[in-house]
RNA sequence: GGUUCGGUAGUUCAGUUUGGUUAGAAUACGUGCCUGUCACGCACGGGGUCGCGGGUUCGAGUCCCGUCCGGACCGCCA
């Protein structure tokens, strides 16, 4: 037997037992007459003790063991002289009789410890070693627990987990597809699914009225800390439901997961319309852990010869409570922040409401004290506050001020990663106008149903039509989104027409779905949660990479296995693929 | 496609602003000493294509140009 116990379970109740343990050498401490060695496995660390006086031979063997060697030991569980309260097995140690080296190990390129000396890059290259470290290992275990609890809840709620194919058909809408050549069908390609969207709708037609799947999805777009080319969704669909049923069901899932995995309980999750989210936070995924909502002061600041405001479509401000003591340097810092091209503001105006009640602004030249008072009143400012104003085109200004708000929130430590503020954002617009191609695109996807009371706008002002679409946002991160789908053929035809599909295009790309809908499609809708993001947000971490066992880097590369890579000419020949000129 | 930060010992970094002797620190590693450590301690030691290519200069880790690689972000992600 290679082991009788793991390295995490022995305690005083096992005293004097003969045990066999196997694991990796974490580190050894050679004190001369004694050597201590930490043996590690997935479950923890157990201290092995060697005494030169009582057993010189085994003590010498122990001195020769290197870091990360895989060993098996036999010995006796003994109470320690000096205990270690920091680890579960800290009351005991093993007096070892026999060491068996199962495998030697090269010296690892970075230290396998909770706080490692290794940087991101080298740890990714040796990811299998990084996964030995507690912080990374615990993330993977956390993910496992979360997936089990998802399945528990969904199963209890009557959902069936059904797998859908990975080799499907490419559609031009939405994200870029990963494509896979078909050897048996030369010149033709599969696409990997961006989501099982159409399949889950077909399952509704089939009568599986509650479906879910924890499923890999693929999108060939540029990456971010919270975006990977392959990622995992909790994908769900329900038939014979309205929006309210879906929100309630998945509010229940969210509460269940937080309760079971984090032992955190929520009241009901608040709801906010898309329009309010944009008006108050300039963002369709607001972080509502803190207030600092936008105030529109456009109507009260114009006409004072301040050209920048006079020319602006919108002048919006936030109140940075208690920041009147910001130094000139700190304010310049914020100005630089909003002027970064990623944020895109051309400047920032501040009004400082000093503790003594006086006002100081960067636009004193244009605004009298009385003018400024009107602004401070409108913005609900009191002594000690700092008002920050941005102006310009409405959308750009909203975006920039939203960034600024989050930045101030971070600086004021209002974005506590141990606090969780979930939010439903509802009533998304159905369509989005794209300037470049001068046409409407579906904001969610082309099967999203419009709100019945807005259908009359479809012919006259389609941009105003709201959809039965909703997002779940936690701490400013979009965790999930979904909609009530269109299930009537006539309405679907109309939407495709609005999106610029000819009937032939629509038939070509989505014919299988539209045809299915002619055979008795029930009313249905669904939602999909980004599972990796849920893991990271619940853990208060920004990067989803930490929760994926083998993630890809910024350029979509797996630096461990060095993929993607070229393939042999023979493989290309079989697929009838000829490579064009590859840009330098 | 764009913005920005970085690449120096196995590893993490300092040194680059203002070019100048033999490129440092910590940690890891090796050797020795040490009987209660648990980030053990102490002493000694080995370890460098300063990402790569070119240029300026008497002289380049340091300045200039190019290039590759990595991180963060914008665009993109129905």
């Amino acid at each position: 037997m290679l082991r009788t116990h793991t390295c995490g379970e022995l305690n005083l109740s096992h005293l004097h037992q003969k045990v066999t343990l196997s694991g990796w050498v974490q580190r050894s401490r050679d004190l001369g007459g004694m050597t201590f060695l930490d043996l590690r496995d997935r479950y923890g660390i157990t201290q092995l003790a060697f005494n030169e006086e009582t057993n010189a031979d085994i003590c010498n063997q122990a001195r020769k063991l290197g870091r990360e060697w895989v060993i098996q030991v036999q010995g006796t569980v003994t109470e320690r002289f000096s205990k270690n309260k920091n680890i579960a097995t800290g009351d005991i140690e093993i007096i070892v009789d026999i060491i068996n080296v199962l495998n030697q190990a090269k010296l690892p390129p970075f230290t396998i410890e909770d706080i490692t000396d290794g940087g991101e890059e080298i740890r990714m290259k040796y990811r299998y070693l990084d996964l030995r470290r507690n912080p990374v290992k615990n993330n993977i275990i956390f993910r496992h627990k979360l997936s089990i609890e998802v399945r528990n809840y969904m199963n209890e709620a009557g959902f069936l987990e059904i797998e859908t194919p990975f080799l499907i058909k490419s559609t031009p809408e939405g994200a870029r597809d990963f494509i896979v050549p078909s050897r048996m069908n030369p010149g033709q390609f599969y696409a990997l699914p961006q989501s099982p969207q159409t399949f889950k709708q077909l399952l509704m037609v089939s009568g599986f009225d509650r479906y879910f799947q924890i499923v890999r999805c693929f999108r060939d777009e540029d990456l971010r800390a919270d975006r990977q080319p392959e990622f995992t969704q909790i994908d769900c669909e329900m038939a014979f439901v309205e929006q309210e049923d879906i929100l309630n069901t998945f509010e229940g899932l969210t509460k269940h997961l937080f309760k079971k995995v984090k032992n955190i309980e929520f009241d009901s999750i608040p709801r906010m319309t898309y329009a309010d989210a944009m008006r108050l936070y300039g963002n369709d995924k607001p972080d509502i852990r803190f207030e600092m909502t936008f105030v529109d002061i456009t109507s009260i600041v114009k006409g004072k010869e301040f050209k920048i405001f006079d020319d602006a479509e919108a002048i919006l401000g936030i109140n940075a409570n208690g920041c009147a003591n910001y130094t000139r340097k700190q304010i310049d810092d914020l100005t630089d922040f909003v002027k970064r091209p990623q944020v895109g503001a051309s400047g920032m105006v501040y009004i400082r409401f000093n503790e003594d009640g006086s006002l100081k602004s960067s636009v004193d030249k244009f605004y009298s004290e009385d003018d400024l008072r009107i602004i401070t009143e409108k913005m609900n400012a009191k002594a000690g506050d700092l008002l920050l104003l941005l102006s310009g085109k409405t959308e750009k200004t909203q975006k920039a001020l939203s960034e600024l708000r989050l930045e101030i929130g971070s600086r004021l430590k209002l974005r506590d990663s141990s606090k969780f503020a979930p939010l439903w954002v509802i009533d998304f617009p159905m369509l989005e106008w794209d300037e470049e191609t001068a046409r409407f695109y579906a904001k969610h996807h082309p099967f999203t149903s419009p709100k019945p009371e807005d259908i009359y706008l479809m012919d006259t002002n389609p941009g105003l039509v709201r959809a039965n679409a909703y997002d779940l946002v936690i701490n400013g991160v979009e965790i999930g989104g979904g909609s009530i789908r269109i299930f009537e053929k006539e309405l679907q035809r109309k939407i495709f027409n609005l999106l610029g599909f000819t009937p032939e295009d629509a038939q070509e790309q989505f014919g299988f779905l539209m045809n299915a809908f002619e055979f008795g499609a029930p009313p249905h809708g669904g939602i999909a949660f980004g599972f990796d993001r849920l893991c990271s947000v619940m853990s208060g971490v920004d990067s989803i990479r930490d929760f994926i066992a083998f993630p890809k880097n910024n350029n979509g590369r797996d630096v461990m296995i060095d993929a993607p890579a070229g393939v042999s000419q023979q493989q290309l020949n079989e697929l009838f693929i000829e490579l064009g000129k590859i840009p330098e």
Side-chain angles (χ1 to χ4, degrees):
Chain A
M1 193 169 14
L2 280 169
R3 62 179 174 191
T4 56
H5 296 82
T6 70
C7 295
E9 65 180 304
L10 294 173
N11 55 46
L12 288 175
S13 72
H14 301 87
L15 276 190
H16 313 307
Q17 286 187 24
K18 282 272 180 198
V19 296
T20 305
L21 299 180
S22 292
W24 287 263
V25 175
Q26 175 72 34
R27 74 165 68 231
S28 62
R29 293 176 290 279
D30 180 356
L31 271 64
M34 297 204 75
T35 292
F36 297 101
L37 193 142
D38 291 339
L39 189 67
R40 185 197 72 237
D41 66 11
R42 172 186 144 193
Y43 306 92
I45 281 182
T46 299
Q47 176 164 287
L48 312 179
F50 305 87
N51 191 318
E52 181 147 81
E53 216 163 77
T54 51
N55 193 341
D57 182 48
I58 200 85
C59 198
N60 277 326
Q61 285 181 49
R63 286 195 184 106
K64 296 199 179 80
L65 300 172
R67 268 184 196 256
E68 300 303 316
W69 287 26
V70 186
I71 63 169
Q72 177 197 35
V73 295
Q74 271 179 49
T76 309
V77 180
T78 311
E79 186 168 3
R80 289 201 198 183
F81 285 3
S82 47
K83 296 178 177 165
N84 182 348
K85 299 216 179 329
N86 298 321
I87 61 173
T89 62
D91 287 342
I92 58 97
E93 65 194 1
I94 311 297
I95 305 294
V96 176
D97 307 315
I98 302 174
I99 298 176
N100 181 14
V101 175
L102 299 172
N103 216 337
Q104 300 193 3
K106 290 212 301 196
L107 199 64
F110 52 89
T111 55
I112 313 288
E113 281 161 21
D114 289 4
I115 297 177
T116 177
D117 64 1
E120 185 85 3
E121 200 177 343
I122 193 126
R123 287 190 288 118
M124 280 302 166
K125 186 165 176 191
Y126 297 92
R127 181 66 167 176
Y128 45 89
L129 297 181
D130 203 23
L131 287 167
R132 288 181 185 171
R133 297 173 49 239
N134 282 319
V136 187
K137 179 190 77 186
N138 290 339
N139 285 346
I140 301 299
I141 293 172
F142 179 85
R143 182 184 177 108
H144 162 79
K145 284 185 188 156
L146 203 58
S147 75
I148 292 295
E149 288 306 331
V150 169
R151 291 198 163 96
N152 285 344
Y153 177 89
M154 299 305 279
N155 182 56
E156 282 299 308
F159 285 78
L160 300 173
E161 183 162 21
I162 304 173
E163 289 161 278
T164 51
F166 279 177
L167 294 173
I168 63 168
K169 190 162 90 169
S170 182
T171 53
E173 289 275 306
R176 204 174 283 116
D177 285 318
F178 280 101
I179 61 170
V180 180
S182 166
R183 177 182 54 83
M184 287 187 284
N185 303 275
Q188 298 191 320
F189 298 84
Y190 301 102
L192 301 179
Q194 299 172 23
S195 84
Q197 183 60 39
T198 49
F199 288 95
K200 67 175 173 178
Q201 292 190 245
L202 291 170
L203 287 171
M204 294 305 107
V205 176
S206 304
F208 295 105
D209 62 353
R210 289 181 162 216
Y211 143 93
F212 88 104
Q213 189 181 185
I214 299 181
V215 61
R216 198 68 54 84
C217 301
F218 306 86
R219 291 178 190 175
D220 186 8
E221 295 293 347
D222 285 6
L223 309 181
R224 291 284 188 282
D226 64 348
R227 256 162 40 192
Q228 285 272 301
E230 47 178 316
F231 61 99
T232 303
Q233 283 190 347
I234 308 168
D235 190 54
C236 311
E237 196 78 5
M238 304 169 81
F240 306 114
V241 289
E242 294 171 330
Q243 175 165 315
E244 200 57 32
D245 301 308
I246 294 187
L247 297 190
N248 288 334
T249 302
F250 292 95
E251 185 160 326
L253 172 64
T254 308
K255 286 181 179 175
H256 175 85
L257 295 178
F258 272 95
K259 174 69 190 153
K260 289 286 182 179
V261 181
K262 304 280 296 183
N263 199 23
I264 291 174
E265 296 192 44
F266 293 121
D267 299 334
S268 64
I269 297 176
R271 299 180 187 187
M272 186 184 299
T273 63
Y274 171 87
D276 280 346
M278 295 309 291
R279 183 172 59 83
L280 296 170
Y281 298 93
N283 196 319
D284 64 0
K285 43 180 202 295
D287 184 348
I288 58 164
R289 278 174 297 182
F290 64 109
E291 278 283 322
M292 208 182 288
T293 49
F294 290 12
V295 180
D296 187 335
I297 52 169
T298 313
S299 59
I300 58 171
V301 296
K302 294 215 180 211
K304 304 285 180 185
E305 306 286 307
F306 183 44
K307 192 162 162 34
I308 292 173
F309 278 3
D310 285 349
D311 291 349
E313 184 183 358
I315 301 122
L316 306 174
I318 52 173
N319 181 353
N321 294 108
C323 292
N325 57 352
Y326 265 35
T327 60
R328 182 58 199 253
K329 183 172 178 322
Q330 281 172 300
I331 290 174
D332 284 350
D333 230 37
L334 292 175
T335 308
D336 288 343
F337 173 83
V338 298
K339 284 165 91 168
R340 288 167 51 213
Q342 282 89 338
V343 179
S346 40
M348 184 182 80
V349 169
Y350 72 86
I351 303 172
R352 197 206 307 264
F353 199 146
N354 293 317
E355 292 290 355
D356 64 8
S358 65
L359 295 174
K360 163 79 188 130
S361 84
S362 52
V363 287
D364 285 344
K365 221 162 81 180
F366 303 98
Y367 294 90
S368 70
E369 172 130 6
D370 284 347
D371 294 335
L372 295 177
R373 291 273 170 222
I374 293 171
I375 301 174
T376 58
E377 269 163 38
K378 172 97 178 173
M379 294 184 65
N380 236 337
K382 55 190 186 318
D385 289 349
L386 177 68
L387 306 181
L388 302 173
L389 315 178
L390 298 180
S391 64
K393 284 278 192 192
T394 305
E395 259 178 54
K396 258 187 96 172
T397 306
Q398 283 176 333
K399 177 178 173 286
L401 192 59
S402 169
E403 294 291 334
L404 181 62
R405 172 180 174 272
L406 293 174
E407 176 67 18
I408 302 271
S410 295
R411 289 184 188 210
L412 295 179
K413 308 236 183 313
L414 300 172
R415 305 179 71 192
D416 177 353
S417 65
S418 64
K419 294 257 183 315
F420 298 95
L423 170 74
W424 287 112
V425 178
I426 57 172
D427 297 356
F428 274 81
M430 189 169 72
L431 303 166
E432 202 169 27
W433 181 256
D434 180 59
E435 288 292 342
E436 224 168 279
T437 49
R439 55 164 274 209
F440 281 109
Y441 281 85
K443 188 161 175 83
H444 187 50
H445 58 59
F447 317 112
T448 301
S449 66
K451 289 211 165 286
E453 62 268 34
D454 287 1
I455 287 183
Y456 76 100
L457 288 164
M458 273 176 38
D459 299 320
T460 50
N461 201 341
L464 289 183
V465 176
R466 291 168 304 165
N468 292 310
Y470 34 81
D471 277 359
L472 178 69
V473 175
I474 302 177
N475 295 359
V477 178
E478 182 191 332
I479 290 297
S483 64
I484 300 296
R485 327 297 183 189
I486 300 167
F487 69 104
E488 308 100 319
K489 202 169 119 192
E490 219 13 73
L491 186 57
Q492 185 69 68
R493 201 191 311 280
K494 211 165 173 179
I495 302 287
F496 276 138
N497 185 42
L498 253 179
L499 293 172
F501 285 80
T502 64
E504 293 74 29
D505 288 343
Q507 186 61 40
E508 159 87 25
Q509 283 170 34
F510 302 111
F512 60 96
L513 185 64
M514 291 163 71
N515 294 343
F517 280 8
E518 298 195 38
F519 291 97
H524 63 285
I527 192 167
F529 283 32
F531 185 58
D532 317 274
R533 277 189 195 171
L534 186 61
C535 290
S536 68
V537 169
M538 286 179 77
S539 303
V541 170
D542 286 334
S543 172
I544 65 172
R545 281 177 210 171
D546 300 355
F547 296 86
I548 298 174
F550 299 104
K552 304 211 168 18
N553 78 2
N554 235 359
N555 295 323
R557 296 201 68 84
D558 183 322
V559 294
M560 185 180 66
I561 63 170
D562 197 23
V567 296
S568 72
Q569 188 58 48
Q570 189 194 344
Q571 285 172 296
L572 292 175
N573 291 346
E574 280 179 345
L575 297 165
F576 299 95
I577 288 179
E578 223 172 283
L579 297 181
K581 189 167 168 49
I582 293 162
E584 293 287 318

